[in-house]
Amino acid sequence: MPQIQWSSNYAIGVKEIDTQHQELVNNLNQLLEACAQGKGKEAINEMIGFLGEYVSFHFATEERFMKQWNYPDAPAHIQEHRNFIQTVDHLRREIAQETIGPGTVIKVNRIVTDWLINHIIKVDTKLGAFLKKNKVE
């Protein structure tokens, strides 16, 4: 499976958030690499566990910036965070109840990769533009 190459297109211009996004991409790439080596079944539980913990930490960081700077689109942005947390919880329960096969690994990869990249490009960049207007780096 092809890995995600970090690109300046993913940077929102706020160092703390960009660093966390890079950490998320690096961990996702580890899962993709494990899948390429035929170890996706073993890595999937680790990835889901990491996501469950790290995205909560990361989302709290973004939400702290939103609150501190009175970001006007905060409610919709926060709802997207909550929806993703629910998606990860659903995946965790689904994986716990069934045998992890190639289809499960592909499904998790697709959901996580698509959500992460789309969220960064479509939603987080708006937050970044707002914060940059307020001189936040």
Side-chain angles (χ1 to χ4, degrees):
M1 295 184 170
Q3 295 208 350
I4 300 168
Q5 297 300 315
W6 181 260
S7 159
S8 60
N9 293 336
Y10 304 145
I12 70 163
V14 178
K15 185 176 180 174
E16 184 175 3
I17 294 173
D18 286 336
T19 299
Q20 290 179 11
H21 284 162
Q22 288 174 334
E23 179 72 18
L24 285 166
V25 167
N26 288 340
N27 275 274
L28 183 56
N29 281 337
Q30 289 176 8
L31 174 62
L32 295 172
E33 179 63 28
C35 292
Q37 295 176 3
K39 300 175 184 173
K41 291 179 188 180
E42 295 85 10
I44 201 79
N45 281 317
E46 186 177 325
M47 179 64 177
I48 291 296
F50 167 79
L51 280 174
E53 293 175 20
Y54 197 80
V55 297
S56 293
F57 165 75
H58 171 65
F59 292 164
T61 299
E62 287 186 0
E63 291 169 18
R64 176 175 41 86
F65 277 100
M66 289 181 223
K67 183 177 181 180
Q68 181 178 357
W69 294 96
N70 296 315
Y71 181 53
D73 293 334
H77 194 137
I78 291 168
Q79 186 58 50
E80 285 213 15
H81 289 171
R82 300 302 169 261
N83 291 346
F84 186 67
I85 289 169
Q86 289 177 347
T87 298
V88 171
D89 287 343
H90 176 76
L91 287 171
R92 182 183 294 118
R93 286 191 305 274
E94 189 176 312
I95 288 166
Q97 293 176 354
E98 60 185 58
T99 304
I100 299 172
T104 306
V105 173
I106 291 168
K107 177 181 174 181
V108 170
N109 283 339
R110 189 188 75 247
I111 289 171
V112 172
T113 302
D114 289 350
W115 189 90
L116 178 62
I117 298 307
N118 285 322
H119 181 76
I120 291 172
I121 291 174
K122 294 178 181 173
V123 180
D124 286 346
T125 53
K126 290 178 186 176
L127 172 60
F130 174 82
L131 293 172
K132 282 192 278 188
K133 254 182 19 182
N134 287 287
K135 310 284 190 249
V136 178
E137 295 181 2

